[in-house]
Amino acid sequence: MELAGITKPSVTFAGFFRYRVVDGAYVVTNAQGDFVILTAAEFRAFAEGTIAPGAELYEKLRRGNFIRAEFDVPMAVERLKRRKRFLGGGPNLHMLVVTLRCNETCVYCHASRANMDAVQTDMTAEIAEKSIDLALGSSSPFITIEFQGGEPLVNYPVLQHAIRYGQRRAQEAGKSVEFTMVSNLSLMDEEKLAFLLDHRVQICTSIDGPEHLHDKQRKLIASSAFNAAVKW
């Protein structure tokens, strides 16, 4: 087997590893996520198994669990468990589509947009509560609830109710909750903004580019979608 120009790599010295050459250096990783960066000469010595025990490079590799004879199984298990700890945490990001209605008509919309009179697409306060209860049923101690649409500010009363309800229920459940809202900001006003900031809601919007480009893609009747967004 040929390995980076090495025709007879050692099968007894090196533990399991992968490597990649980046700007002439060898980035060597193992299954549990440790890594070392070696020069070409160091990598050759590592692969051929010619590094003397006690040498500085040997100790560097030993600490990273790259030497087969010195492989520390308990350390590898703990590091692998730490890397994969998210698997037992449960889902922590939950999205609530509080309406499909939107006052903008984006040419690339992928959100099943509904017209502003399609009130039947609005989420009710009851469904919002059930959705938040379901999210808080996750085994994750930290929950993020993201409001999407349509344009979520179209159904602002339910969004407002969901935030208040979610904070109260999270406190009762002993969990941490954060809220995020994805909005075109065209329906924002000082009162809504004050509420959102008071409740630490993270606000996300999109600017597609200069005004002429943004307004070509995101159309707002009788107004500039770009100016409505940048105002806030």
Side-chain angles (χ1 to χ4, degrees):
M1 179 180 70
E2 184 171 340
L3 185 65
I6 299 165
T7 55
K8 294 183 178 181
S10 169
V11 295
T12 58
F13 181 80
F16 172 82
F17 71 93
R18 304 182 184 93
Y19 77 96
R20 177 176 294 178
V21 181
V22 180
D23 290 337
Y26 286 74
V27 181
V28 184
T29 61
N30 58 23
Q32 60 268 21
D34 297 291
F35 73 93
V36 290
I37 299 175
L38 306 177
T39 65
E42 289 173 333
F43 181 77
R44 176 177 290 277
F46 165 62
E48 293 178 345
T50 58
I51 306 169
E56 183 178 351
L57 179 57
Y58 185 96
E59 290 303 307
K60 178 180 179 179
L61 292 164
R62 182 188 63 77
R63 288 192 299 270
N65 246 358
F66 287 97
I67 297 176
R68 184 183 295 270
E70 305 254 13
F71 192 81
D72 187 332
V73 174
M75 180 178 73
V77 169
E78 285 305 311
R79 290 183 178 178
L80 193 57
K81 283 171 61 177
R82 189 163 62 246
R83 280 188 67 203
K84 301 295 184 180
R85 64 185 181 276
F86 65 91
L87 293 174
N92 56 23
L93 174 60
H94 305 263
M95 298 181 184
L96 269 63
V97 178
V98 294
T99 184
L100 292 180
R101 293 191 290 155
C102 187
N103 60 328
E104 291 189 1
T105 53
C106 300
V107 297
Y108 46 69
C109 180
H110 64 277
S112 302
R113 175 198 175 275
N115 291 329
M116 288 293 285
D117 59 354
V119 295
Q120 73 276 9
T121 70
D122 288 0
M123 178 179 284
T124 63
E126 180 184 11
I127 292 176
E129 290 181 3
K130 290 182 178 180
S131 301
I132 290 169
D133 289 340
L134 180 64
L136 289 171
S138 168
S139 57
S140 174
F142 177 85
I143 299 295
T144 296
I145 295 175
E146 181 174 299
F147 299 106
Q148 292 194 5
E151 168 51 49
L153 290 178
V154 169
N155 195 12
Y156 178 70
V158 168
L159 182 146
Q160 192 177 40
H161 176 78
I163 292 168
R164 287 172 171 151
Y165 180 82
Q167 289 180 331
R168 176 171 60 82
R169 287 289 293 114
Q171 187 174 23
E172 293 170 353
K175 296 194 175 187
S176 174
V177 64
E178 283 191 356
F179 295 99
T180 299
M181 182 186 72
V182 180
S183 170
N184 62 38
L185 299 182
S186 62
L187 298 175
M188 185 67 76
D189 58 37
E190 294 292 348
E191 183 179 352
K192 293 185 181 76
L193 182 62
F195 175 85
L196 295 169
L197 295 180
D198 285 346
H199 290 79
R200 301 177 64 83
V201 178
Q202 300 177 68
I203 302 172
C204 175
T205 194
S206 296
I207 301 294
D208 289 3
E211 182 176 355
H212 73 278
L213 178 60
H214 183 95
D215 287 345
K216 182 178 180 179
Q217 305 297 328
R218 296 172 172 264
K219 301 181 184 299
L220 183 61
I221 296 175
S223 186
S224 166
F226 178 88
N227 289 334
V230 298
K231 173 183 177 179
W232 299 101

